[in-house]
Amino acid sequence: MPRVTDSHRAGRRAEILTAAARLFADNGFHATSMAGIIAGSGLSAGAVYSYFRSKEELIGAVTDLVSTTADEVFGELLADGATPSPAAVVTAMVEEVTERFITDSVIGVDMSRLAVQVWAEALRNPEVLARAGRVVTGLRGHCAEVARRWQAAGNLPAAVVPDQVGAAMLSLVQGYILQRLLLPGTDGAYYVAGMQALLAPSSMLAASSVSGET
Amino acid sequence: MPRVTDSHRAGRRAEILTAAARLFADNGFHATSMAGIIAGSGLSAGAVYSYFRSKEELIGAVTDLVSTTADEVFGELLADGATPSPAAVVTAMVEEVTERFITDSVIGVDMSRLAVQVWAEALRNPEVLARAGRVVTGLRGHCAEVARRWQAAGNLPAAVVPDQVGAAMLSLVQGYILQRLLLPGTDGAYYVAGMQALLAPSSMLAASSVSGET
DNA sequence: CAAGGTAAAACGAACGGTCGTTCTTGACAA
DNA sequence: TTGTCAAGAACGACCGTTCGTTTTACCTTG
């Protein structure tokens, strides 16, 4: 038998996933046909269906890919014990989105476009909603942790609920993704400037550096 | 010569549009079939196609409906010459979304769900992108005007670009819409509290009332 | 080493179903 | 009668998926 190596098999799977992600990013999930994915992957229908049982499973896999990428992109923001300001964290998130999310280095697909498709799909597909909700919860939790530290440092009133602040911080990133796709000319620097002005109207320099990994 | 025409004919058109909007909100544009819309409208295929030339035209009409509703909901925020704080305006927008956008009074459809579908569709349909972009530009312009007045009142540095601040303000509304749909338990009051804390960390009462129409 | 067996992997034509759309037909108002 | 419009069966195209066949590469055997 063609005892193909595991890595080869995983590579094939990744190729199919990449082709699907590229088409999904361009046309959305339901305006993309399996025939297109099959052609894009360079394989046959039967081969594709031996790696993914159905189109829905492919959608789920791409959703996971977006989720994983999002986690990776934002996961390092609080690697150490720093207490950056919310404005600095949102700035860092916007920059990370611009550099690593909009054109993913691994497969060269605009993950921000996929994210919007995932949001829309989540409204009708309970499984996608569950996955997407988990990611959003996680990201909001990271932001809430920032708010908690900022609060502990005395920069926020004690009565403030960190998770609530985290929700607003996450919104600033989601809105950036959305407006950049919908409105030409909304780039990272343009957006960050307004966000920082909104968050620190009196003193313009509340931002300190945000650490990456150690 | 149409005997019962005009208002009756417009009513029919509205019925079809309502049925389409309801199904689009539930399942998105491409997972909704014309057969479903035809059944939902209570008319026949031929009748529906005499009012709308194609499914694409129906999608465009629903996009317009969402746009119009959004304009109406947010158009009154700056009716007079008041200079409310950005936080107060975003608060008012979130409340308007909750009360008038999430369940539109005219047709009883969740416009926020439709908005997400429009965002996704805009990424692949140039006409929808144009319409959606126009609306987002308009909303951001309204927010920018708030920032401009706030700046003129001396609450923002002169170097700040109002449109940039408007983009961030709009993000806070878009993020609310998104997170409310994706995460159970994100209601208006919960969200507003965090937003206000983020925008006015030092003095918790920057908000004043925002005027409706005169 | 060479040849043949074997089973996984890939192929791709074909399938039933559903899609968006059209068009013939009938009913009714003028 | 005649003009208008709705009804809904019918249509071709394309959908996601299946499955019988062919190819491939490793293992066994002489």
Side-chain angles (χ1 to χ4, degrees), chain B residues 3 32-34 49 54-55:
Chain B
R3 175 62 187 92
T32 297
S33 70
M34 286 300 290
Y49 270 88
S54 66
K55 185 182 184 179

mmCIF file with all atom_site columns, all heavy atoms in Angstrom, chain B residues 3 32-34 49 54-55, chain C residues 19-23 29-30:
data_model
loop_
_atom_site.group_PDB
_atom_site.id
_atom_site.type_symbol
_atom_site.label_atom_id
_atom_site.label_alt_id
_atom_site.label_comp_id
_atom_site.label_asym_id
_atom_site.label_entity_id
_atom_site.label_seq_id
_atom_site.pdbx_PDB_ins_code
_atom_site.Cartn_x
_atom_site.Cartn_y
_atom_site.Cartn_z
_atom_site.occupancy
_atom_site.B_iso_or_equiv
_atom_site.pdbx_formal_charge
_atom_site.auth_seq_id
_atom_site.auth_comp_id
_atom_site.auth_asym_id
_atom_site.auth_atom_id
_atom_site.pdbx_PDB_model_num
ATOM 1   N N     . ARG B 1 3  ? -55.846 48.669 -11.279 1.00 0.00 ? 3  ARG B N     1
ATOM 2   C CA    . ARG B 1 3  ? -57.013 49.179 -10.577 1.00 0.00 ? 3  ARG B CA    1
ATOM 3   C C     . ARG B 1 3  ? -56.720 49.447 -9.091  1.00 0.00 ? 3  ARG B C     1
ATOM 4   O O     . ARG B 1 3  ? -56.995 50.535 -8.589  1.00 0.00 ? 3  ARG B O     1
ATOM 5   C CB    . ARG B 1 3  ? -58.166 48.170 -10.708 1.00 0.00 ? 3  ARG B CB    1
ATOM 6   C CG    . ARG B 1 3  ? -59.405 48.510 -9.938  1.00 0.00 ? 3  ARG B CG    1
ATOM 7   C CD    . ARG B 1 3  ? -60.015 49.830 -10.415 1.00 0.00 ? 3  ARG B CD    1
ATOM 8   N NE    . ARG B 1 3  ? -61.122 50.210 -9.518  1.00 0.00 ? 3  ARG B NE    1
ATOM 9   C CZ    . ARG B 1 3  ? -60.938 50.981 -8.464  1.00 0.00 ? 3  ARG B CZ    1
ATOM 10  N NH1   . ARG B 1 3  ? -59.747 51.422 -8.159  1.00 0.00 ? 3  ARG B NH1   1
ATOM 11  N NH2   . ARG B 1 3  ? -61.951 51.291 -7.688  1.00 0.00 ? 3  ARG B NH2   1
ATOM 12  N N     . THR B 1 32 ? -30.429 31.106 2.411   1.00 0.00 ? 32 THR B N     1
ATOM 13  C CA    . THR B 1 32 ? -31.870 31.320 2.289   1.00 0.00 ? 32 THR B CA    1
ATOM 14  C C     . THR B 1 32 ? -32.264 31.116 0.828   1.00 0.00 ? 32 THR B C     1
ATOM 15  O O     . THR B 1 32 ? -31.659 31.687 -0.070  1.00 0.00 ? 32 THR B O     1
ATOM 16  C CB    . THR B 1 32 ? -32.245 32.754 2.714   1.00 0.00 ? 32 THR B CB    1
ATOM 17  O OG1   . THR B 1 32 ? -31.923 32.928 4.088   1.00 0.00 ? 32 THR B OG1   1
ATOM 18  C CG2   . THR B 1 32 ? -33.732 33.007 2.501   1.00 0.00 ? 32 THR B CG2   1
ATOM 19  N N     . SER B 1 33 ? -33.273 30.299 0.603   1.00 0.00 ? 33 SER B N     1
ATOM 20  C CA    . SER B 1 33 ? -33.695 30.018 -0.773  1.00 0.00 ? 33 SER B CA    1
ATOM 21  C C     . SER B 1 33 ? -34.841 30.928 -1.188  1.00 0.00 ? 33 SER B C     1
ATOM 22  O O     . SER B 1 33 ? -35.614 31.403 -0.351  1.00 0.00 ? 33 SER B O     1
ATOM 23  C CB    . SER B 1 33 ? -34.130 28.560 -0.897  1.00 0.00 ? 33 SER B CB    1
ATOM 24  O OG    . SER B 1 33 ? -35.340 28.359 -0.203  1.00 0.00 ? 33 SER B OG    1
ATOM 25  N N     . MET B 1 34 ? -34.940 31.157 -2.473  1.00 0.00 ? 34 MET B N     1
ATOM 26  C CA    . MET B 1 34 ? -36.065 31.917 -2.997  1.00 0.00 ? 34 MET B CA    1
ATOM 27  C C     . MET B 1 34 ? -37.368 31.194 -2.684  1.00 0.00 ? 34 MET B C     1
ATOM 28  O O     . MET B 1 34 ? -38.393 31.837 -2.439  1.00 0.00 ? 34 MET B O     1
ATOM 29  C CB    . MET B 1 34 ? -35.901 32.110 -4.501  1.00 0.00 ? 34 MET B CB    1
ATOM 30  C CG    . MET B 1 34 ? -34.845 33.127 -4.882  1.00 0.00 ? 34 MET B CG    1
ATOM 31  S SD    . MET B 1 34 ? -35.156 34.781 -4.239  1.00 0.00 ? 34 MET B SD    1
ATOM 32  C CE    . MET B 1 34 ? -36.564 35.281 -5.231  1.00 0.00 ? 34 MET B CE    1
ATOM 33  N N     . TYR B 1 49 ? -41.346 37.469 -8.324  1.00 0.00 ? 49 TYR B N     1
ATOM 34  C CA    . TYR B 1 49 ? -40.411 37.898 -9.371  1.00 0.00 ? 49 TYR B CA    1
ATOM 35  C C     . TYR B 1 49 ? -40.946 39.085 -10.177 1.00 0.00 ? 49 TYR B C     1
ATOM 36  O O     . TYR B 1 49 ? -40.215 39.677 -10.963 1.00 0.00 ? 49 TYR B O     1
ATOM 37  C CB    . TYR B 1 49 ? -40.066 36.725 -10.293 1.00 0.00 ? 49 TYR B CB    1
ATOM 38  C CG    . TYR B 1 49 ? -38.871 35.966 -9.800  1.00 0.00 ? 49 TYR B CG    1
ATOM 39  C CD1   . TYR B 1 49 ? -39.016 34.923 -8.894  1.00 0.00 ? 49 TYR B CD1   1
ATOM 40  C CD2   . TYR B 1 49 ? -37.590 36.328 -10.192 1.00 0.00 ? 49 TYR B CD2   1
ATOM 41  C CE1   . TYR B 1 49 ? -37.916 34.240 -8.420  1.00 0.00 ? 49 TYR B CE1   1
ATOM 42  C CE2   . TYR B 1 49 ? -36.487 35.647 -9.731  1.00 0.00 ? 49 TYR B CE2   1
ATOM 43  C CZ    . TYR B 1 49 ? -36.646 34.608 -8.843  1.00 0.00 ? 49 TYR B CZ    1
ATOM 44  O OH    . TYR B 1 49 ? -35.557 33.928 -8.371  1.00 0.00 ? 49 TYR B OH    1
ATOM 45  N N     . SER B 1 54 ? -34.597 39.686 -9.205  1.00 0.00 ? 54 SER B N     1
ATOM 46  C CA    . SER B 1 54 ? -33.714 38.572 -8.869  1.00 0.00 ? 54 SER B CA    1
ATOM 47  C C     . SER B 1 54 ? -33.461 38.535 -7.371  1.00 0.00 ? 54 SER B C     1
ATOM 48  O O     . SER B 1 54 ? -33.821 39.460 -6.637  1.00 0.00 ? 54 SER B O     1
ATOM 49  C CB    . SER B 1 54 ? -32.383 38.719 -9.603  1.00 0.00 ? 54 SER B CB    1
ATOM 50  O OG    . SER B 1 54 ? -31.711 39.862 -9.121  1.00 0.00 ? 54 SER B OG    1
ATOM 51  N N     . LYS B 1 55 ? -32.826 37.467 -6.945  1.00 0.00 ? 55 LYS B N     1
ATOM 52  C CA    . LYS B 1 55 ? -32.470 37.359 -5.529  1.00 0.00 ? 55 LYS B CA    1
ATOM 53  C C     . LYS B 1 55 ? -31.479 38.464 -5.157  1.00 0.00 ? 55 LYS B C     1
ATOM 54  O O     . LYS B 1 55 ? -31.546 39.026 -4.059  1.00 0.00 ? 55 LYS B O     1
ATOM 55  C CB    . LYS B 1 55 ? -31.871 35.980 -5.267  1.00 0.00 ? 55 LYS B CB    1
ATOM 56  C CG    . LYS B 1 55 ? -31.566 35.722 -3.797  1.00 0.00 ? 55 LYS B CG    1
ATOM 57  C CD    . LYS B 1 55 ? -30.929 34.353 -3.626  1.00 0.00 ? 55 LYS B CD    1
ATOM 58  C CE    . LYS B 1 55 ? -30.718 34.041 -2.147  1.00 0.00 ? 55 LYS B CE    1
ATOM 59  N NZ    . LYS B 1 55 ? -30.112 32.705 -1.963  1.00 0.00 ? 55 LYS B NZ    1
ATOM 60  P P     . DC  C 2 19 ? -33.226 24.838 -1.974  1.00 0.00 ? 19 DC  C P     1
ATOM 61  O OP1   . DC  C 2 19 ? -32.886 25.263 -0.616  1.00 0.00 ? 19 DC  C OP1   1
ATOM 62  O OP2   . DC  C 2 19 ? -34.645 24.610 -2.365  1.00 0.00 ? 19 DC  C OP2   1
ATOM 63  O "O5'" . DC  C 2 19 ? -32.577 25.856 -3.003  1.00 0.00 ? 19 DC  C "O5'" 1
ATOM 64  C "C5'" . DC  C 2 19 ? -31.150 25.916 -3.107  1.00 0.00 ? 19 DC  C "C5'" 1
ATOM 65  C "C4'" . DC  C 2 19 ? -30.760 26.518 -4.449  1.00 0.00 ? 19 DC  C "C4'" 1
ATOM 66  O "O4'" . DC  C 2 19 ? -30.923 25.516 -5.475  1.00 0.00 ? 19 DC  C "O4'" 1
ATOM 67  C "C3'" . DC  C 2 19 ? -31.633 27.670 -4.904  1.00 0.00 ? 19 DC  C "C3'" 1
ATOM 68  O "O3'" . DC  C 2 19 ? -31.117 28.877 -4.379  1.00 0.00 ? 19 DC  C "O3'" 1
ATOM 69  C "C2'" . DC  C 2 19 ? -31.480 27.616 -6.419  1.00 0.00 ? 19 DC  C "C2'" 1
ATOM 70  C "C1'" . DC  C 2 19 ? -31.188 26.150 -6.706  1.00 0.00 ? 19 DC  C "C1'" 1
ATOM 71  N N1    . DC  C 2 19 ? -32.301 25.380 -7.355  1.00 0.00 ? 19 DC  C N1    1
ATOM 72  C C2    . DC  C 2 19 ? -32.340 25.266 -8.746  1.00 0.00 ? 19 DC  C C2    1
ATOM 73  O O2    . DC  C 2 19 ? -31.461 25.835 -9.413  1.00 0.00 ? 19 DC  C O2    1
ATOM 74  N N3    . DC  C 2 19 ? -33.342 24.557 -9.318  1.00 0.00 ? 19 DC  C N3    1
ATOM 75  C C4    . DC  C 2 19 ? -34.264 23.970 -8.551  1.00 0.00 ? 19 DC  C C4    1
ATOM 76  N N4    . DC  C 2 19 ? -35.228 23.265 -9.146  1.00 0.00 ? 19 DC  C N4    1
ATOM 77  C C5    . DC  C 2 19 ? -34.245 24.084 -7.124  1.00 0.00 ? 19 DC  C C5    1
ATOM 78  C C6    . DC  C 2 19 ? -33.261 24.796 -6.571  1.00 0.00 ? 19 DC  C C6    1
ATOM 79  P P     . DG  C 2 20 ? -32.036 30.133 -4.269  1.00 0.00 ? 20 DG  C P     1
ATOM 80  O OP1   . DG  C 2 20 ? -31.409 31.096 -3.358  1.00 0.00 ? 20 DG  C OP1   1
ATOM 81  O OP2   . DG  C 2 20 ? -33.391 29.627 -3.982  1.00 0.00 ? 20 DG  C OP2   1
ATOM 82  O "O5'" . DG  C 2 20 ? -32.025 30.730 -5.740  1.00 0.00 ? 20 DG  C "O5'" 1
ATOM 83  C "C5'" . DG  C 2 20 ? -30.786 31.078 -6.350  1.00 0.00 ? 20 DG  C "C5'" 1
ATOM 84  C "C4'" . DG  C 2 20 ? -31.012 31.426 -7.802  1.00 0.00 ? 20 DG  C "C4'" 1
ATOM 85  O "O4'" . DG  C 2 20 ? -31.585 30.283 -8.474  1.00 0.00 ? 20 DG  C "O4'" 1
ATOM 86  C "C3'" . DG  C 2 20 ? -31.979 32.577 -8.048  1.00 0.00 ? 20 DG  C "C3'" 1
ATOM 87  O "O3'" . DG  C 2 20 ? -31.509 33.370 -9.126  1.00 0.00 ? 20 DG  C "O3'" 1
ATOM 88  C "C2'" . DG  C 2 20 ? -33.297 31.881 -8.344  1.00 0.00 ? 20 DG  C "C2'" 1
ATOM 89  C "C1'" . DG  C 2 20 ? -32.832 30.614 -9.057  1.00 0.00 ? 20 DG  C "C1'" 1
ATOM 90  N N9    . DG  C 2 20 ? -33.748 29.485 -8.863  1.00 0.00 ? 20 DG  C N9    1
ATOM 91  C C8    . DG  C 2 20 ? -34.320 29.071 -7.691  1.00 0.00 ? 20 DG  C C8    1
ATOM 92  N N7    . DG  C 2 20 ? -35.104 28.037 -7.821  1.00 0.00 ? 20 DG  C N7    1
ATOM 93  C C5    . DG  C 2 20 ? -35.051 27.753 -9.175  1.00 0.00 ? 20 DG  C C5    1
ATOM 94  C C6    . DG  C 2 20 ? -35.703 26.747 -9.919  1.00 0.00 ? 20 DG  C C6    1
ATOM 95  O O6    . DG  C 2 20 ? -36.479 25.873 -9.523  1.00 0.00 ? 20 DG  C O6    1
ATOM 96  N N1    . DG  C 2 20 ? -35.377 26.814 -11.275 1.00 0.00 ? 20 DG  C N1    1
ATOM 97  C C2    . DG  C 2 20 ? -34.528 27.733 -11.832 1.00 0.00 ? 20 DG  C C2    1
ATOM 98  N N2    . DG  C 2 20 ? -34.337 27.653 -13.147 1.00 0.00 ? 20 DG  C N2    1
ATOM 99  N N3    . DG  C 2 20 ? -33.910 28.694 -11.149 1.00 0.00 ? 20 DG  C N3    1
ATOM 100 C C4    . DG  C 2 20 ? -34.220 28.640 -9.832  1.00 0.00 ? 20 DG  C C4    1
ATOM 101 P P     . DT  C 2 21 ? -32.307 34.667 -9.578  1.00 0.00 ? 21 DT  C P     1
ATOM 102 O OP1   . DT  C 2 21 ? -31.340 35.598 -10.178 1.00 0.00 ? 21 DT  C OP1   1
ATOM 103 O OP2   . DT  C 2 21 ? -33.172 35.120 -8.467  1.00 0.00 ? 21 DT  C OP2   1
ATOM 104 O "O5'" . DT  C 2 21 ? -33.212 34.096 -10.759 1.00 0.00 ? 21 DT  C "O5'" 1
ATOM 105 C "C5'" . DT  C 2 21 ? -32.595 33.418 -11.845 1.00 0.00 ? 21 DT  C "C5'" 1
ATOM 106 C "C4'" . DT  C 2 21 ? -33.630 32.834 -12.783 1.00 0.00 ? 21 DT  C "C4'" 1
ATOM 107 O "O4'" . DT  C 2 21 ? -34.342 31.758 -12.137 1.00 0.00 ? 21 DT  C "O4'" 1
ATOM 108 C "C3'" . DT  C 2 21 ? -34.701 33.811 -13.281 1.00 0.00 ? 21 DT  C "C3'" 1
ATOM 109 O "O3'" . DT  C 2 21 ? -34.508 34.004 -14.683 1.00 0.00 ? 21 DT  C "O3'" 1
ATOM 110 C "C2'" . DT  C 2 21 ? -36.035 33.117 -12.970 1.00 0.00 ? 21 DT  C "C2'" 1
ATOM 111 C "C1'" . DT  C 2 21 ? -35.618 31.674 -12.729 1.00 0.00 ? 21 DT  C "C1'" 1
ATOM 112 N N1    . DT  C 2 21 ? -36.500 30.893 -11.816 1.00 0.00 ? 21 DT  C N1    1
ATOM 113 C C2    . DT  C 2 21 ? -37.210 29.830 -12.315 1.00 0.00 ? 21 DT  C C2    1
ATOM 114 O O2    . DT  C 2 21 ? -37.153 29.493 -13.486 1.00 0.00 ? 21 DT  C O2    1
ATOM 115 N N3    . DT  C 2 21 ? -37.985 29.165 -11.398 1.00 0.00 ? 21 DT  C N3    1
ATOM 116 C C4    . DT  C 2 21 ? -38.123 29.455 -10.047 1.00 0.00 ? 21 DT  C C4    1
ATOM 117 O O4    . DT  C 2 21 ? -38.845 28.792 -9.321  1.00 0.00 ? 21 DT  C O4    1
ATOM 118 C C5    . DT  C 2 21 ? -37.350 30.588 -9.582  1.00 0.00 ? 21 DT  C C5    1
ATOM 119 C C7    . DT  C 2 21 ? -37.425 31.001 -8.148  1.00 0.00 ? 21 DT  C C7    1
ATOM 120 C C6    . DT  C 2 21 ? -36.594 31.246 -10.477 1.00 0.00 ? 21 DT  C C6    1
ATOM 121 P P     . DT  C 2 22 ? -35.465 34.989 -15.454 1.00 0.00 ? 22 DT  C P     1
ATOM 122 O OP1   . DT  C 2 22 ? -34.654 35.605 -16.502 1.00 0.00 ? 22 DT  C OP1   1
ATOM 123 O OP2   . DT  C 2 22 ? -36.255 35.815 -14.526 1.00 0.00 ? 22 DT  C OP2   1
ATOM 124 O "O5'" . DT  C 2 22 ? -36.448 33.943 -16.159 1.00 0.00 ? 22 DT  C "O5'" 1
ATOM 125 C "C5'" . DT  C 2 22 ? -35.891 32.870 -16.882 1.00 0.00 ? 22 DT  C "C5'" 1
ATOM 126 C "C4'" . DT  C 2 22 ? -36.991 31.983 -17.439 1.00 0.00 ? 22 DT  C "C4'" 1
ATOM 127 O "O4'" . DT  C 2 22 ? -37.672 31.299 -16.355 1.00 0.00 ? 22 DT  C "O4'" 1
ATOM 128 C "C3'" . DT  C 2 22 ? -38.087 32.705 -18.229 1.00 0.00 ? 22 DT  C "C3'" 1
ATOM 129 O "O3'" . DT  C 2 22 ? -38.349 31.925 -19.393 1.00 0.00 ? 22 DT  C "O3'" 1
ATOM 130 C "C2'" . DT  C 2 22 ? -39.270 32.732 -17.261 1.00 0.00 ? 22 DT  C "C2'" 1
ATOM 131 C "C1'" . DT  C 2 22 ? -39.076 31.407 -16.538 1.00 0.00 ? 22 DT  C "C1'" 1
ATOM 132 N N1    . DT  C 2 22 ? -39.683 31.294 -15.176 1.00 0.00 ? 22 DT  C N1    1
ATOM 133 C C2    . DT  C 2 22 ? -40.467 30.206 -14.887 1.00 0.00 ? 22 DT  C C2    1
ATOM 134 O O2    . DT  C 2 22 ? -40.696 29.320 -15.696 1.00 0.00 ? 22 DT  C O2    1
ATOM 135 N N3    . DT  C 2 22 ? -40.959 30.173 -13.604 1.00 0.00 ? 22 DT  C N3    1
ATOM 136 C C4    . DT  C 2 22 ? -40.752 31.101 -12.613 1.00 0.00 ? 22 DT  C C4    1
ATOM 137 O O4    . DT  C 2 22 ? -41.250 30.956 -11.498 1.00 0.00 ? 22 DT  C O4    1
ATOM 138 C C5    . DT  C 2 22 ? -39.924 32.225 -12.976 1.00 0.00 ? 22 DT  C C5    1
ATOM 139 C C7    . DT  C 2 22 ? -39.626 33.295 -11.984 1.00 0.00 ? 22 DT  C C7    1
ATOM 140 C C6    . DT  C 2 22 ? -39.436 32.266 -14.227 1.00 0.00 ? 22 DT  C C6    1
ATOM 141 P P     . DC  C 2 23 ? -39.038 32.599 -20.659 1.00 0.00 ? 23 DC  C P     1
ATOM 142 O OP1   . DC  C 2 23 ? -38.079 32.568 -21.774 1.00 0.00 ? 23 DC  C OP1   1
ATOM 143 O OP2   . DC  C 2 23 ? -39.671 33.885 -20.252 1.00 0.00 ? 23 DC  C OP2   1
ATOM 144 O "O5'" . DC  C 2 23 ? -40.206 31.565 -20.949 1.00 0.00 ? 23 DC  C "O5'" 1
ATOM 145 C "C5'" . DC  C 2 23 ? -40.286 30.336 -20.205 1.00 0.00 ? 23 DC  C "C5'" 1
ATOM 146 C "C4'" . DC  C 2 23 ? -41.720 29.841 -20.194 1.00 0.00 ? 23 DC  C "C4'" 1
ATOM 147 O "O4'" . DC  C 2 23 ? -42.231 29.890 -18.834 1.00 0.00 ? 23 DC  C "O4'" 1
ATOM 148 C "C3'" . DC  C 2 23 ? -42.709 30.669 -21.017 1.00 0.00 ? 23 DC  C "C3'" 1
ATOM 149 O "O3'" . DC  C 2 23 ? -43.704 29.812 -21.524 1.00 0.00 ? 23 DC  C "O3'" 1
ATOM 150 C "C2'" . DC  C 2 23 ? -43.280 31.633 -19.990 1.00 0.00 ? 23 DC  C "C2'" 1
ATOM 151 C "C1'" . DC  C 2 23 ? -43.368 30.715 -18.774 1.00 0.00 ? 23 DC  C "C1'" 1
ATOM 152 N N1    . DC  C 2 23 ? -43.342 31.456 -17.477 1.00 0.00 ? 23 DC  C N1    1
ATOM 153 C C2    . DC  C 2 23 ? -43.934 30.878 -16.351 1.00 0.00 ? 23 DC  C C2    1
ATOM 154 O O2    . DC  C 2 23 ? -44.476 29.773 -16.452 1.00 0.00 ? 23 DC  C O2    1
ATOM 155 N N3    . DC  C 2 23 ? -43.905 31.547 -15.174 1.00 0.00 ? 23 DC  C N3    1
ATOM 156 C C4    . DC  C 2 23 ? -43.315 32.742 -15.096 1.00 0.00 ? 23 DC  C C4    1
ATOM 157 N N4    . DC  C 2 23 ? -43.296 33.358 -13.919 1.00 0.00 ? 23 DC  C N4    1
ATOM 158 C C5    . DC  C 2 23 ? -42.702 33.350 -16.233 1.00 0.00 ? 23 DC  C C5    1
ATOM 159 C C6    . DC  C 2 23 ? -42.737 32.675 -17.392 1.00 0.00 ? 23 DC  C C6    1
ATOM 160 P P     . DA  C 2 29 ? -62.637 40.780 -9.505  1.00 0.00 ? 29 DA  C P     1
ATOM 161 O OP1   . DA  C 2 29 ? -62.441 40.815 -8.043  1.00 0.00 ? 29 DA  C OP1   1
ATOM 162 O OP2   . DA  C 2 29 ? -63.926 40.320 -10.073 1.00 0.00 ? 29 DA  C OP2   1
ATOM 163 O "O5'" . DA  C 2 29 ? -62.319 42.227 -10.077 1.00 0.00 ? 29 DA  C "O5'" 1
ATOM 164 C "C5'" . DA  C 2 29 ? -60.986 42.751 -9.958  1.00 0.00 ? 29 DA  C "C5'" 1
ATOM 165 C "C4'" . DA  C 2 29 ? -60.668 43.668 -11.131 1.00 0.00 ? 29 DA  C "C4'" 1
ATOM 166 O "O4'" . DA  C 2 29 ? -60.594 42.877 -12.341 1.00 0.00 ? 29 DA  C "O4'" 1
ATOM 167 C "C3'" . DA  C 2 29 ? -61.719 44.752 -11.396 1.00 0.00 ? 29 DA  C "C3'" 1
ATOM 168 O "O3'" . DA  C 2 29 ? -61.063 45.975 -11.684 1.00 0.00 ? 29 DA  C "O3'" 1
ATOM 169 C "C2'" . DA  C 2 29 ? -62.480 44.232 -12.611 1.00 0.00 ? 29 DA  C "C2'" 1
ATOM 170 C "C1'" . DA  C 2 29 ? -61.391 43.466 -13.346 1.00 0.00 ? 29 DA  C "C1'" 1
ATOM 171 N N9    . DA  C 2 29 ? -61.899 42.380 -14.179 1.00 0.00 ? 29 DA  C N9    1
ATOM 172 C C8    . DA  C 2 29 ? -62.750 41.382 -13.804 1.00 0.00 ? 29 DA  C C8    1
ATOM 173 N N7    . DA  C 2 29 ? -63.028 40.536 -14.778 1.00 0.00 ? 29 DA  C N7    1
ATOM 174 C C5    . DA  C 2 29 ? -62.320 41.010 -15.850 1.00 0.00 ? 29 DA  C C5    1
ATOM 175 C C6    . DA  C 2 29 ? -62.185 40.570 -17.180 1.00 0.00 ? 29 DA  C C6    1
ATOM 176 N N6    . DA  C 2 29 ? -62.804 39.492 -17.655 1.00 0.00 ? 29 DA  C N6    1
ATOM 177 N N1    . DA  C 2 29 ? -61.390 41.284 -18.010 1.00 0.00 ? 29 DA  C N1    1
ATOM 178 C C2    . DA  C 2 29 ? -60.766 42.368 -17.521 1.00 0.00 ? 29 DA  C C2    1
ATOM 179 N N3    . DA  C 2 29 ? -60.805 42.884 -16.290 1.00 0.00 ? 29 DA  C N3    1
ATOM 180 C C4    . DA  C 2 29 ? -61.612 42.152 -15.504 1.00 0.00 ? 29 DA  C C4    1
ATOM 181 P P     . DA  C 2 30 ? -61.891 47.314 -11.814 1.00 0.00 ? 30 DA  C P     1
ATOM 182 O OP1   . DA  C 2 30 ? -61.123 48.369 -11.157 1.00 0.00 ? 30 DA  C OP1   1
ATOM 183 O OP2   . DA  C 2 30 ? -63.296 47.046 -11.402 1.00 0.00 ? 30 DA  C OP2   1
ATOM 184 O "O5'" . DA  C 2 30 ? -61.877 47.568 -13.390 1.00 0.00 ? 30 DA  C "O5'" 1
ATOM 185 C "C5'" . DA  C 2 30 ? -60.615 47.801 -14.032 1.00 0.00 ? 30 DA  C "C5'" 1
ATOM 186 C "C4'" . DA  C 2 30 ? -60.804 47.947 -15.532 1.00 0.00 ? 30 DA  C "C4'" 1
ATOM 187 O "O4'" . DA  C 2 30 ? -61.272 46.679 -16.077 1.00 0.00 ? 30 DA  C "O4'" 1
ATOM 188 C "C3'" . DA  C 2 30 ? -61.851 48.986 -15.933 1.00 0.00 ? 30 DA  C "C3'" 1
ATOM 189 O "O3'" . DA  C 2 30 ? -61.369 49.749 -17.035 1.00 0.00 ? 30 DA  C "O3'" 1
ATOM 190 C "C2'" . DA  C 2 30 ? -63.064 48.173 -16.355 1.00 0.00 ? 30 DA  C "C2'" 1
ATOM 191 C "C1'" . DA  C 2 30 ? -62.421 46.907 -16.868 1.00 0.00 ? 30 DA  C "C1'" 1
ATOM 192 N N9    . DA  C 2 30 ? -63.274 45.720 -16.734 1.00 0.00 ? 30 DA  C N9    1
ATOM 193 C C8    . DA  C 2 30 ? -64.002 45.348 -15.650 1.00 0.00 ? 30 DA  C C8    1
ATOM 194 N N7    . DA  C 2 30 ? -64.659 44.221 -15.809 1.00 0.00 ? 30 DA  C N7    1
ATOM 195 C C5    . DA  C 2 30 ? -64.325 43.828 -17.099 1.00 0.00 ? 30 DA  C C5    1
ATOM 196 C C6    . DA  C 2 30 ? -64.702 42.719 -17.871 1.00 0.00 ? 30 DA  C C6    1
ATOM 197 N N6    . DA  C 2 30 ? -65.515 41.772 -17.438 1.00 0.00 ? 30 DA  C N6    1
ATOM 198 N N1    . DA  C 2 30 ? -64.180 42.638 -19.121 1.00 0.00 ? 30 DA  C N1    1
ATOM 199 C C2    . DA  C 2 30 ? -63.356 43.610 -19.550 1.00 0.00 ? 30 DA  C C2    1
ATOM 200 N N3    . DA  C 2 30 ? -62.931 44.694 -18.906 1.00 0.00 ? 30 DA  C N3    1
ATOM 201 C C4    . DA  C 2 30 ? -63.467 44.744 -17.676 1.00 0.00 ? 30 DA  C C4    1
#
